[in-house]
Amino acid sequence: MPGVPNLAGQRLDYLRDALKQYRDGRRNVPVMRAAIGPVSDADLDALARWYSVQSPQPQDHP
Ligand code: HEM
């Protein structure tokens, strides 16, 4: 999706920090705050782990 970052294979600590920043409002991006919602640290950790172990896929370029 244009403008939305690829997360597959991103570093675990980077993903965990980013998700916490959206949840806590330190990154104030309404679409991401809405997507994340009020999740627990444990759930954020599980999400970050899942994305970090995915393999990046080749992207289509116009
Ligand atoms: C409706 C669904 C979603 C939309 C439209 C969306 C959109 C976006 C956008 C526009 C950004 C960049 C924001 C910025 O400039 O800081 C972003 C960042 C991010 N999103 Fe989402 N997002 C969605 C759902 C999710 C979900 C479900 C997750 C994971 C559970 C997620 C994880 C992230 C992370 C980790 C970043 C930071 C990436 C980085 O800084 O490199 N997003 N998202």
Side-chain angles (χ1 to χ4, degrees):
M1 193 187 291
V4 176
N6 294 322
L7 306 178
Q10 182 56 274
R11 280 180 20 229
L12 175 60
D13 58 347
Y14 181 96
L15 290 172
R16 200 193 277 125
D17 287 349
L19 291 174
K20 280 199 180 127
Q21 287 165 5
Y22 292 118
R23 182 194 63 187
D24 298 341
R26 283 176 289 134
R27 282 200 205 186
N28 193 4
V29 180
V31 69
M32 271 306 302
R33 298 200 70 186
I36 295 300
V39 299
S40 66
D41 282 350
D43 285 346
L44 283 192
D45 196 65
L47 286 165
R49 282 178 190 283
W50 189 85
Y51 283 98
S52 72
V53 300
Q54 305 308 306
S55 298
Q57 300 297 310
Q59 303 293 307
D60 288 330
H61 293 286

